Amino acid sequence: MTEDEMDERTREALRGYRVPPEPPLDEMWDAIEARHFGAPVVALTDRAPARGRSSRRWRLGAPSWGVLVVGMAATLLLGVGVGRMSRTIAPTYTQNDSGDGRYDYWTANAEPYRRATTEYLGETVALLTALPAAARDGQPDAGVLVAHSGSPRKCERSEQFRGVFMRRPPSW
Amino acid sequence: MPRAAIARDETVTLDERALIARVLEGDRVAGRQLYEAHATRVHRLVYRLCGDAELAQDFTQDTFVRAFDQLSRFRGDAAFGTWIHRIAVTVTLNGMRKVKRLRERETTLDDDPGIGTVSHRADPDLRSGIAAAIDALPEGTRMTLIMHDIEGYTHAEIAESLGIAEGTSKSRLFDARGKLRLALAAFVKE
């Protein structure tokens, strides 16, 4: 073998020394990107050509300070708005019976509740007073109620009660 | 050097400077472009040096992560490619020293009594015989041979990457070729 042939065979052998495989470029870049730049970028769109805002890429897990500040400001404004709106909707009375000069919602708004309670109690008294008289006149519904007036649950379970109140009228 | 080639080199340098500036600002797209421009060649060199696909992948990743981390120190005196190849060589050498199974490949040629008398019968394949001879070369000599004769680096690039003088690179290459000839002689005799 001549000198040139030896050189050629050596070069040929050198070219075959540890022939590298195809480098996994994407896989390696993912690791490099995560290690150096932080969280990986997730594309909300596929790899279509860029078209305005729809092609924007968003970084997950690391919102900017601007986004955080805007979010907090929006939450604060929403809270203030809800508070003011609820103040206009809720019935408020300027008179305060607490006497110590402080405004108390429940004291200031007790009057409507007292008025409604008095009205319903009055109607109940009138009904209970009128029922015995109606029973004496032979009205069956009134008789059932009077007979079980001491026990509402017993009244509810009785056959008579069902016959009077639970039966569906023919007109339904 | 032809004028067109010079202009192209300047364009590449300007582009790389712009990319580097963007990477320093945290632009990962620019980082990807810089990576794609050099990753394949870095991976080739690293694989030739370590001979293991997984290690080559790890070392290539380490190389780019370290390069991006230290990018602010890149002064631009040399080409970015030269700079990152120097990092690749350093990362690979340090990594290989940590890997136990690769230590056997780092034995010097002088320490291996059988390398100069590789038997054709013992190792009939010339290619594997050459590979064994390369593996047995001293570390610096082997790297110089791989970078120059296999990957096509110039002595200037090798000197920059390995941190040696160009004359040292040339003498190492001469030494490596001489030892390979000795190994090859065993095949030629028969």
Side-chain angles (χ1 to χ4, degrees):
Chain A
M1 182 182 286
T2 64
E3 195 85 357
D4 289 342
E5 286 174 343
M6 188 180 287
D7 284 345
E8 179 56 35
R9 291 188 68 178
T10 305
R11 277 195 292 271
E12 186 183 335
L14 284 174
R15 281 194 291 270
Y17 176 74
R18 291 180 180 175
V19 178
E22 195 67 26
L25 292 176
D26 288 336
E27 187 182 338
M28 289 194 296
W29 171 251
D30 289 343
I32 293 165
E33 185 182 33
R35 285 171 63 185
H36 178 73
F37 292 98
V41 168
V42 177
L44 295 180
T45 59
D46 55 12
R47 295 189 178 186
R51 287 180 185 173
R53 298 170 68 87
S54 64
S55 64
R56 281 189 180 173
R57 308 184 92 190
W58 295 82
R59 184 189 306 172
L60 295 180
S64 65
W65 281 108
V67 172
L68 284 174
V69 169
V70 168
M72 286 190 285
T75 307
L76 187 62
L77 285 175
L78 186 66
V80 170
V82 168
R84 290 193 174 185
M85 191 185 296
S86 63
R87 194 173 178 185
T88 57
I89 291 173
T92 55
Y93 293 83
T94 52
Q95 289 181 346
N96 192 345
D97 295 337
S98 61
D100 57 358
R102 291 183 303 168
Y103 178 80
D104 180 30
Y105 177 85
W106 297 109
T107 305
N109 293 280
E111 183 57 27
Y113 295 106
R114 192 181 302 121
R115 204 178 299 156
T117 307
T118 305
E119 186 180 334
Y120 286 121
L121 283 174
E123 288 178 0
T124 307
V125 169
L127 179 65
L128 291 176
T129 306
L131 273 175
R136 278 195 300 273
D137 293 343
Q139 294 181 18
D141 297 359
V144 170
L145 285 173
V146 169
H148 299 94
S149 60
S151 174
R153 189 170 295 277
K154 194 176 174 184
C155 167
E156 195 177 78
R157 289 175 182 170
S158 69
E159 288 299 321
Q160 287 175 293
F161 181 88
R162 284 184 190 166
V164 173
F165 294 102
M166 302 300 289
R167 197 185 308 132
R168 179 179 293 179
S171 60
W172 283 16
Chain B
M1 184 182 289
R3 184 171 293 177
I6 294 171
R8 189 188 59 195
D9 286 346
E10 285 176 351
T11 304
V12 169
T13 304
L14 286 174
D15 284 349
E16 283 193 341
R17 283 181 183 167
L19 285 176
I20 289 166
R22 285 168 56 196
V23 173
L24 285 172
E25 292 171 357
D27 186 341
R28 61 184 68 204
V29 177
R32 172 79 193 222
Q33 289 175 345
L34 206 56
Y35 163 80
E36 286 185 347
H38 298 278
T40 302
R41 198 161 183 230
V42 167
H43 180 266
R44 281 177 62 89
L45 175 62
V46 169
Y47 184 85
R48 299 267 198 201
L49 294 177
C50 72
D52 183 281
E54 286 186 13
L55 285 177
Q57 189 173 332
D58 289 345
F59 294 159
T60 305
Q61 290 170 191
D62 291 345
T63 297
F64 278 93
V65 169
R66 185 181 291 190
F68 287 150
D69 288 346
Q70 298 179 354
L71 202 54
S72 59
R73 297 184 198 171
F74 176 64
R75 294 171 297 178
D77 297 339
F80 179 77
T82 306
W83 184 70
I84 200 167
H85 278 83
R86 182 171 191 164
I87 294 175
V89 168
T90 305
V91 166
T92 306
L93 284 180
N94 290 337
M96 285 171 65
R97 285 177 187 140
K98 292 176 183 174
V99 181
K100 189 177 178 181
R101 59 193 162 104
L102 291 178
R103 282 185 178 167
E104 295 171 359
R105 296 178 180 174
E106 295 176 3
T107 54
T108 62
L109 186 62
D110 294 336
D111 293 339
D112 189 345
I115 196 67
T117 56
V118 176
S119 167
H120 199 165
R121 288 176 190 168
D123 191 357
D125 185 8
L126 173 65
R127 185 170 290 183
S128 61
I130 292 286
I134 295 172
D135 288 346
L137 288 171
E139 187 178 86
T141 307
R142 183 169 61 90
M143 297 183 83
T144 304
L145 178 76
I146 290 171
M147 292 181 78
H148 189 277
D149 279 4
I150 301 178
E151 288 298 319
Y153 290 73
T154 64
H155 282 294
E157 288 173 326
I158 294 169
E160 178 69 25
S161 297
L162 300 182
I164 57 175
E166 279 192 49
T168 307
S169 174
K170 289 174 183 174
S171 67
R172 281 182 179 179
L173 183 63
F174 182 81
D175 185 41
R177 285 175 174 170
K179 287 176 177 173
L180 284 183
R181 280 175 181 276
L182 282 176
L184 192 61
F187 293 94
V188 177
K189 278 180 184 174
E190 295 186 10

